[in-house]
Amino acid sequence: MIMFAIISLPLFLSAGFTLAYVFTAGEVKYRCVVPECEDPSNTVFNTSWLPDSVPDASEMSKCTRYVVRNHTGVCTNQTFFNATRKCDSWIYDPSENTILSEWDLTCDTNRWKLALVGTINNVGQFVGLIFAGYVSDRYGRRTILTLTTFLSGISGLIHSFSVNYWMFLAFEFIDATVAAGIYSAGFILGMEMAGVRGRVLASTIICCMFAVGEMLLGLISMWLRSWRLILRMVYGPALLAILLPVLIPESVRWLLANGKHEKVESIYRKMARINGLQVSDEAIGAFKELNMVKTEKTEQLVVSEKKSPVMQILNSSTMLTRLLACSFCWLTNTFVYYGLSLNSVAFAGDKYTNFILVAIVEIPAYFLTWFLTDYIGRKATLSSSFLLSGAFCLAIQFLPTGSWTFLPLVLYMGGKWCITMSFSTIYIYTAELFPTNLRHSLLGICSMTGRMGSILSPQTPLLAQIMPALPLILFGCMALSAGLLSLFFPETLGTKLPDTVWEAENIGKVQEKQELQDSPS
C-alpha cells in the first residue's frame, strides 16, 4: 500500500496535465468598451447602462454594440440608438483570467484559437505515446515515470511564463508530449506489483486516483482562477518526482523479463524490511519463482523471444489480430467518452462545481467495474458496458418528441456511465492480454490509437448541424461494434500475467487443457 500511495502522486498530477487546458483556455465573460460612456483606463465590468448598450442583453459577451448619440455625462437607455458597430476593445470579468482575456481572443474570429489548444494537447499526447512505450519497455517503468513527471514539471513551469499565444500553444504541445507516458507507466507499474487477486483492485485504485486528480484540478482552478497560477500549482509539485527512484523499486516483472536477476533479491529484501518481515533465503527463492519467467520453455520459444517486438507481433496472427481489435476498442472508448461529454447539454451553474461533480461520478462507476470484473469476468464486463452504452445512445432516437423530457437525460447519462466502466475495464484487460516485454509498447499503441478518438471528438458537434441525432447515432453504432468485437477476446480472470508471446497467445488454453487432463474420464 505504501508503494501504491507513492505511485498515486504522479497519477494525481497527470489528470491536471491532461485537463488543465479546460480552465487555462476557458471562456471568460467579457463586454465591449463604450468609450463615450466610460473611461477605458478606469471602468468596471457591470454598469447600469450595460443592458441597453448591446442588441441581446441575455448575453453580454458580444462583439457588437449599439452606436452612441452625441452624448456627454452619464449614459441611459436614451443614449443609444438602433444601429450597431463592431467592438474595438473589451472589458473582462475580473473574477478570473484565462488566455482569452490575456491576449484578447474574443469573438468568432478567434474562437478557433481556444479550440485549437485542446486539439494540440491531444496531438501532443498522441506523439508522446509513440516513444513512451518503447522507453518503458527498454529502460523500465520507474525510469519513464520519473523522467516524464520531472520533465513535465519543468516544461509546465516555463509554460506558465508564456508571453504570447503562440508560445503558450507550443508549450501546450511540449507539456502533453512529455507527460503522455505518466499514466500508462504508473498503471503498468502498479499492475505488475499486484498479484493475480489484487490486480483489479489495483486497477480500480489507479483509475480513482485520476478522478481524484480531476477533482483537485477543479478545486485548484476554483481557488486561483488565473491560468498562470493554475499551471504553476499543477506542474510545480512534479519536480519532486526526482525522488521516486529512492522511494519505489523498479517492477520486478520487468527486471526478470529483461534478465536483471541480480537486482530482484535486493528488492524483495527491501520490501520485507519495509513491511517488518523476516524472511529466509528459501522464502525469497520461492517468492522469486512465482514471478520468474519459466525457464523450461522450448528452444523455439527462446529463439522467438529474441526477435524484435515488431517481428514478434507480425509473426503471430493471434497477437496482431488482438492488437488491431484492442486498438479499435480504445478508439471507440475515447471517441464516445469525450464525445458524450462535449455534446451533453450545458447545465446551469458554476463551471468549477460542475467539473468536480462530473469527476466524482466516475468513482462509483470504477468500483462497480471492480466488482463486475471479478464476479463475471473482464470480457463480459467490457462487452456489456460497450453494448449498453451503444443501446442507450441509440434508444434516445426512439423516444416520442416532446414527452418524457427527463428520459433522454437519463438514457444519456446511462450511456456516459457505461462508457466510463468500459474505460476502466479496457486498461486492465489490455495489460493482461499482452506479454511483459511488449506490454507497455502495445498498451502505448492502443492508447495512442485511442488518442485519435479524443482528437476527433471535438468535431462531432459539427455533425449536429447536418442532422441533430447524427452524433448519438455514430456513438451508438461504434459502441455496439466494439462490444461485439470484444467478445472474441480470451477471458483473463484469474490468469497469470503473460511474460512471453507464447503465453499471451495461449491465455486460457493451457488452463483449459490442464483441467481436461485432470478431470475423471
Side-chain angles (χ1 to χ4, degrees):
M1 292 305 294
I2 296 175
M3 300 301 179
F4 269 96
I6 297 173
I7 294 172
S8 298
L9 298 179
L11 300 181
F12 285 146
L13 299 177
S14 70
F17 300 165
T18 304
L19 296 168
Y21 72 86
V22 173
F23 299 108
T24 59
E27 292 281 349
V28 175
K29 293 180 180 179
Y30 59 91
R31 68 171 179 84
C32 299
V33 172
V34 185
E36 298 88 347
C37 300
E38 58 187 334
D39 180 4
S41 62
N42 184 24
T43 187
V44 294
F45 182 72
N46 292 306
T47 63
S48 59
W49 45 263
L50 185 58
D52 301 314
S53 66
V54 292
D56 185 3
S58 64
E59 184 180 348
M60 296 304 177
S61 298
K62 291 289 185 180
C63 296
T64 58
R65 64 178 178 86
Y66 287 130
V67 176
V68 178
R69 304 174 189 271
N70 293 331
H71 174 77
T72 57
V74 179
C75 291
T76 65
N77 59 348
Q78 302 299 319
T79 305
F80 307 93
F81 65 96
N82 195 21
T84 60
R85 56 167 295 180
K86 291 185 178 180
C87 299
D88 300 316
S89 56
W90 296 267
I91 297 294
Y92 300 96
D93 184 352
S95 65
E96 58 182 328
N97 177 35
T98 71
I99 63 171
L100 184 152
S101 56
E102 185 88 9
W103 297 307
D104 290 335
L105 304 180
T106 55
C107 307
D108 292 339
T109 55
N110 287 311
R111 189 170 294 275
W112 65 273
K113 291 184 178 180
L114 295 177
L116 184 61
V117 174
T119 300
I120 290 296
N121 182 284
N122 283 284
V123 170
Q125 294 184 59
F126 180 88
V127 173
L129 287 169
I130 297 175
F131 305 100
Y134 172 78
V135 175
S136 174
D137 286 335
R138 180 68 183 272
Y139 299 104
R141 312 333 186 184
R142 184 183 64 178
T143 301
I144 186 69
L145 186 64
T146 302
L147 186 65
T148 53
T149 307
F150 182 74
L151 292 179
S152 294
I154 296 175
S155 175
L157 290 177
I158 298 174
H159 191 184
S160 71
F161 290 95
S162 298
V163 296
N164 55 48
Y165 171 77
W166 299 110
M167 179 180 175
F168 178 91
L169 199 65
F171 274 94
E172 187 72 34
F173 176 82
I174 294 171
D175 289 351
T177 302
V178 174
I182 294 176
Y183 187 81
S184 57
F187 184 90
I188 290 179
L189 183 58
M191 287 284 294
E192 292 181 345
M193 284 183 175
V196 173
R197 294 186 178 181
R199 214 181 288 159
V200 180
L201 176 59
S203 170
T204 303
I205 292 174
I206 291 171
C207 290
C208 288
M209 293 304 100
F210 190 87
V212 173
E214 291 180 275
M215 294 161 53
L216 291 176
L217 174 63
L219 290 171
I220 290 170
S221 302
M222 178 188 292
W223 172 40
L224 298 176
R225 297 178 182 253
S226 169
W227 71 270
R228 293 185 188 272
L229 296 179
I230 291 171
L231 287 178
R232 291 165 193 169
M233 181 63 75
V234 169
Y235 282 91
L239 298 179
L240 297 175
I242 197 69
L243 301 175
L244 283 178
V246 180
L247 300 174
I248 59 175
E250 181 56 85
S251 166
V252 171
R253 282 189 169 274
W254 180 85
L255 291 172
L256 291 170
N258 286 273
K260 300 180 183 296
H261 303 284
E262 69 281 357
K263 296 183 180 180
V264 175
E265 184 173 343
S266 63
I267 291 176
Y268 284 141
R269 293 190 181 280
K270 181 179 179 181
M271 292 170 62
R273 187 171 62 253
I274 291 174
N275 289 280
L277 301 175
Q278 291 183 352
V279 292
S280 62
D281 292 338
E282 291 77 10
I284 289 290
F287 192 47
K288 287 169 62 177
E289 182 66 22
L290 292 175
N291 291 282
M292 287 185 65
V293 180
K294 299 300 181 181
T295 57
E296 57 268 15
K297 301 293 182 184
T298 63
E299 292 183 4
Q300 181 180 359
L301 176 62
V302 174
V303 171
S304 69
E305 292 304 311
K306 292 181 180 179
K307 298 178 181 178
S308 68
V310 174
M311 291 306 300
Q312 290 183 53
I313 296 301
L314 292 179
N315 289 336
S316 171
S317 59
T318 300
M319 296 304 298
L320 183 59
T321 303
R322 189 178 298 172
L323 177 62
L324 294 174
C326 280
S327 297
F328 178 77
C329 288
W330 276 78
L331 174 66
T332 300
N333 226 321
T334 56
F335 184 70
V336 176
Y337 179 86
Y338 289 108
L340 287 175
S341 298
L342 292 169
N343 287 273
S344 61
V345 177
F347 293 98
D350 180 70
K351 65 180 181 180
Y352 301 102
T353 303
N354 292 341
F355 184 86
I356 295 169
L357 292 176
V358 168
I360 292 174
V361 166
E362 295 183 16
I363 295 178
Y366 289 137
F367 277 98
L368 179 60
T369 304
W370 172 33
F371 171 76
L372 291 178
T373 50
D374 269 348
Y375 184 71
I376 65 174
R378 279 63 153 155
K379 180 165 70 173
T381 303
L382 181 66
S383 181
S384 61
S385 59
F386 269 132
L387 293 173
L388 285 173
S389 180
F392 283 136
C393 291
L394 293 177
I396 297 175
Q397 317 310 318
F398 297 97
L399 295 177
T401 305
S403 61
W404 301 329
T405 55
F406 69 93
L407 197 52
L409 180 60
V410 172
L411 293 176
Y412 195 94
M413 296 307 295
K416 184 67 182 300
W417 177 283
C418 290
I419 205 66
T420 300
M421 289 180 58
S422 68
F423 227 141
S424 175
T425 306
I426 201 167
Y427 248 104
I428 183 174
Y429 205 8
T430 305
E432 292 177 336
L433 289 174
F434 296 120
T436 298
N437 61 332
L438 300 175
R439 186 169 294 124
H440 201 160
S441 296
L442 299 184
L443 180 61
I445 290 174
C446 294
S447 184
M448 183 177 63
T449 307
R451 191 57 53 189
M452 294 175 62
S454 62
I455 293 172
L456 294 173
S457 59
Q459 309 303 319
T460 54
L462 300 177
L463 297 176
Q465 298 178 4
I466 302 173
M467 176 181 173
L470 191 55
L472 284 175
I473 293 175
L474 181 59
F475 298 152
C477 292
M478 289 190 66
L480 289 177
S481 300
L484 294 174
L485 190 62
S486 61
L487 290 173
F488 293 94
F489 293 145
E491 179 56 69
T492 61
L493 177 61
T495 62
K496 170 184 170 293
L497 281 176
D499 289 309
T500 65
V501 171
W502 182 86
E503 289 180 351
E505 289 176 332
N506 291 277
I507 292 174
K509 296 180 182 178
V510 175
Q511 183 178 356
E512 292 174 4
K513 183 177 179 180
Q514 184 66 38
E515 289 176 353
L516 289 175
Q517 292 176 348
D518 294 342
S519 61
S521 56

